[in-house]
Amino acid sequence: MGLQKLDIRKLVVPNRGEIAVRIARACRELGIASVLAHADEDDVRYTRRFFDETISLGPGDARATYLDVNKVIDAARTSGADALHPGYGFLSERAELAAACDDAGLIFVGPKASSIAAMGSKAESRRLMQSLGVPVVPGYDGDDQSLPTLTAAAERIGFPLLVKASAGGGGKGMKIVRAAGELQPAIESAAREAAKAFGNDQLLLERYIEEPRHVEFQIFGDGRGNIVHLFERDCSIQRRHQKVVEETPAPRYSEELRARMARAAIAAAAGVDYRNAGTVEFIVTPDGEFFFLEMNTRLQVEHPVTELVAGVDLVHAQLQVAAGGPMPWTQEQLAQRGHAIQVRIYAEDPDDRFLPQSGTIAAYREPSGPGVRVDAGVMRGSEIGVKFDPMLAKLICYAEDRGKAIDRVSRALRDYVILGTKTNISWLRRVVTHPAFREGLVSTRFLADHAAELEPRVPEIIPEIAATLAAAPRQRVVGAGEPQVTDVWSSVGNWGR
Ligand code: ADP
Ligand code: ADP
Ligand code: MG
């Protein structure tokens, strides 16, 4: 195939880590030149290898670089790119960036600015969904934010309830309120946090669904009225409302329930005339009642499980449609086959409140073999700082059925070696091998309910690593162009499996 005949010659990616690599790989496959736009203080020695060019977004943290629309547009212009893929996070869901691309004559690989704006506010998108007949969680999404109005609404909704930042994301800006007396302080602190994190203090209230599952649909549109769905993803295994394990198909659900959810997801996307890849998120009660949560108007972190089970390349599809090409598939051409599970690998310490870790990756070995995909943003020698997100990589495993996929992800986690910084690898292995997970008994309470069983077991050091360790000199020099690693012994915590 190749997109040479279409309108994208050179694409800029103002993002980092694994998603930058993911997009650059697609560019090479399609014959598109690629430009990595990055913060000076980001370690890009790994990611840059996949790009044709790099351009600086200047010094400072994310706010001063990846989140600065003017700097991002300037970088795109300077590099001579004709298109921009925002990845996820950062500016990916800012209507302002899509509009600025339009103004600068750049193709924005994503939806129209108006669709992003309509879905960017959880309150506004809830109202839109109700008008389309898509069920939303019983709650309050009005503009009147006065305490008496919110209090009266809370009484109507009942407790427990959730106070949410309308502009929130990444699980941030949410407070559970279990009784009337907790409402006012929760509202005040949520509004303060939301103003600080999202520059907008609008709140909404929702009934807190107990022991729910998070099930979302991948959808894809061409902006000319054609919309398909690429099935669901179950992302119920969460810590602090952040996804940790994602899989498809969703275990233990009937075809009938999934088909009804798919129809609601398509209606939601059609309601904003959706173009490009997007995700409609639902929360599902233990009785199988489902409610719209929000729509993410971008490529999702967990998109690879869909790619494996539907046999598609979502980034190719994004670029094709952004370049003015046709919809890659009809609904009838799409089917689910087999099972895929993704786990997110973080530099964090599961034994100490999951605190983000920093350090230099002293040794790095990725798993491979049948049905194993690793989307990583680091290599041996990479410096993990605290300025940016601590996600290092994603491990995605595919097999014929769910049981085999669990065996495979468990094996691949055992093969995954990262030394020099603590990671959640061993903990993830305990999660996916937990009997309740194998049974498909998942809910957003899973990690809290099973916390005790997920504590580390007696370290069982992998013999091969022990041998490598014994043979390793205390000082070692890594490949040319990579930094010297002085201490591979600093992360013994990693080896307990
Ligand atoms: P997903 O469903 O793709 O996991 P998340 O909401 O967790 O979606 O967000 C994906 C990534 O984007 C995460 O790394 C998260 O930290 C980041 N992110 C989410 N919202 C924001 C935001 N408002 N500003 C910056 N980064 C964000
Ligand atoms: P974000 O933009 O941060 O992703 P979401 O509205 O998608 O915000 O919610 C994130 C997570 O919080 C959900 O996946 C779910 O686990 C939990 N959650 C959200 N709304 C509710 C609710 N009404 N009841 C129970 N849990 C909820
Ligand atoms: Mg969400």
Side-chain angles (χ1 to χ4, degrees):
M1 212 187 44
L3 292 182
Q4 296 89 337
K5 294 196 293 300
L6 298 170
D7 287 338
I8 300 180
R9 289 176 306 103
K10 193 173 192 179
L11 180 96
V12 66
V13 182
N15 211 310
R16 57 186 305 279
E18 66 86 20
I19 193 62
V21 174
R22 168 73 189 87
I23 298 162
R25 283 180 167 139
C27 286
R28 292 242 158 112
E29 288 161 5
L30 295 170
I32 298 172
S34 59
V35 185
L36 176 69
H38 68 90
D40 290 349
E41 287 159 60
D42 214 346
D43 182 348
V44 296
R45 284 168 298 177
Y46 179 70
T47 41
R48 70 184 305 165
R49 297 177 174 190
F50 299 85
F51 284 83
D52 297 321
E53 293 172 30
T54 61
I55 188 161
S56 163
L57 292 171
D61 60 6
R63 194 167 294 273
T65 55
Y66 299 108
L67 286 164
D68 185 325
V69 175
N70 292 327
K71 281 192 191 147
V72 164
I73 295 287
D74 281 349
R77 278 216 183 96
T78 307
S79 66
D82 46 29
L84 181 150
H85 192 312
Y88 55 69
F90 298 130
L91 297 174
S92 60
E93 292 188 89
R94 294 271 184 90
E96 190 193 344
L97 178 67
C101 284
D102 292 346
D103 291 345
L106 284 163
I107 295 173
F108 179 72
V109 183
K112 297 168 206 170
S114 60
S115 314
I116 303 179
M119 290 297 187
S121 149
K122 290 192 209 290
E124 201 182 316
S125 64
R126 273 177 56 99
R127 297 199 289 256
L128 177 65
M129 289 307 119
Q130 283 164 285
S131 76
L132 297 169
V134 175
V136 301
V137 186
Y140 173 80
D141 48 32
D143 289 330
D144 182 352
Q145 299 277 301
S146 68
L147 189 60
T149 303
L150 292 176
T151 307
E155 239 108 74
R156 254 195 333 274
I157 297 163
F159 299 95
L161 61 76
L162 208 50
V163 179
K164 272 191 194 179
S166 181
K172 293 180 204 89
M174 267 184 250
K175 304 256 176 260
I176 301 176
V177 178
R178 300 222 168 253
E182 299 170 10
L183 185 67
Q184 187 176 348
I187 287 172
E188 283 164 3
S189 82
R192 228 180 4 254
E193 267 177 38
K196 190 159 173 269
F198 312 111
N200 176 326
D201 65 358
Q202 189 178 357
L203 302 178
L204 60 98
L205 307 179
E206 276 182 3
R207 179 192 293 165
Y208 184 69
I209 312 279
E210 301 276 5
E211 223 179 321
R213 284 169 63 173
H214 172 116
V215 180
E216 59 186 33
F217 275 74
Q218 176 71 53
I219 63 102
F220 199 94
D222 64 1
R224 293 188 293 266
N226 301 307
I227 295 173
V228 298
H229 74 85
L230 292 101
F231 314 99
E232 79 281 11
R233 292 183 287 255
D234 189 310
C235 314
S236 299
I237 307 292
Q238 302 184 350
R239 210 178 61 77
R240 296 180 173 203
H241 309 301
Q242 277 256 45
K243 300 155 189 169
V244 180
V245 181
E246 297 115 334
E247 63 180 310
T248 186
R252 288 175 168 263
Y253 277 164
S254 67
E255 283 289 334
E256 188 271 333
L257 172 61
R258 289 185 286 157
R260 270 193 294 133
M261 293 178 76
R263 281 197 294 278
I266 292 214
V272 289
D273 195 14
Y274 201 78
R275 181 185 72 199
N276 222 281
T279 296
V280 180
E281 297 189 334
F282 296 102
I283 192 146
V284 190
T285 70
D287 298 333
E289 193 177 1
F290 65 86
F291 304 103
F292 171 86
L293 268 186
E294 64 164 344
M295 180 166 183
N296 292 321
T297 51
R298 55 167 163 86
L299 193 66
Q300 204 93 339
V301 177
E302 54 274 22
H303 76 277
V305 294
T306 298
E307 295 190 315
L308 297 183
V309 163
V312 299
D313 187 311
L314 286 168
V315 179
H316 281 202
Q318 286 193 293
L319 293 167
Q320 175 173 321
V321 163
M327 270 288 268
W329 339 268
T330 62
Q331 190 67 62
E332 293 67 40
Q333 287 171 334
L334 294 165
Q336 282 169 303
R337 187 189 165 130
H339 198 99
I341 301 175
Q342 171 176 293
V343 291
R344 301 188 187 193
I345 314 289
Y346 284 99
E348 63 184 15
D349 185 358
D351 303 333
D352 188 12
R353 294 161 290 159
F354 292 88
L355 289 175
Q357 303 292 300
S358 55
T360 302
I361 296 188
Y364 184 82
R365 190 185 71 192
E366 282 178 0
S368 59
V372 175
R373 164 172 168 180
V374 179
D375 282 17
V378 296
M379 63 178 181
R380 184 177 59 168
S382 287
E383 272 158 40
I384 312 306
V386 289
K387 274 214 167 84
F388 303 105
D389 193 275
M391 192 171 84
L392 304 176
K394 306 183 304 204
L395 167 65
I396 312 103
C397 291
Y398 173 83
E400 285 157 61
D401 60 39
R402 186 169 188 270
K404 292 190 171 109
I406 292 175
D407 294 340
R408 189 156 271 167
V409 76
S410 162
R411 182 273 292 175
L413 282 166
R414 194 181 193 280
D415 290 349
Y416 212 145
V417 178
I418 300 177
L419 305 181
T421 173
K422 285 188 179 160
T423 72
N424 63 344
I425 289 176
S426 304
W427 177 82
L428 283 171
R429 189 145 184 270
R430 296 195 291 274
V431 173
V432 298
T433 55
H434 193 283
F437 182 76
R438 193 172 278 275
E439 289 291 309
L441 298 172
V442 296
S443 86
T444 65
R445 267 181 31 190
F446 185 95
L447 296 176
D449 284 354
H450 300 295
E453 300 117 80
L454 296 172
E455 295 272 302
R457 298 171 203 144
V458 180
E460 151 209 333
I461 293 178
I462 296 172
E464 187 194 337
I465 298 177
T468 311
L469 177 65
R474 265 195 103 77
Q475 302 271 323
R476 75 150 93 168
V477 180
V478 295
E482 294 166 17
Q484 274 213 342
V485 174
T486 50
D487 189 7
V488 290
W489 300 80
S490 62
S491 61
V492 174
N494 258 338
W495 302 325
R497 298 288 162 117

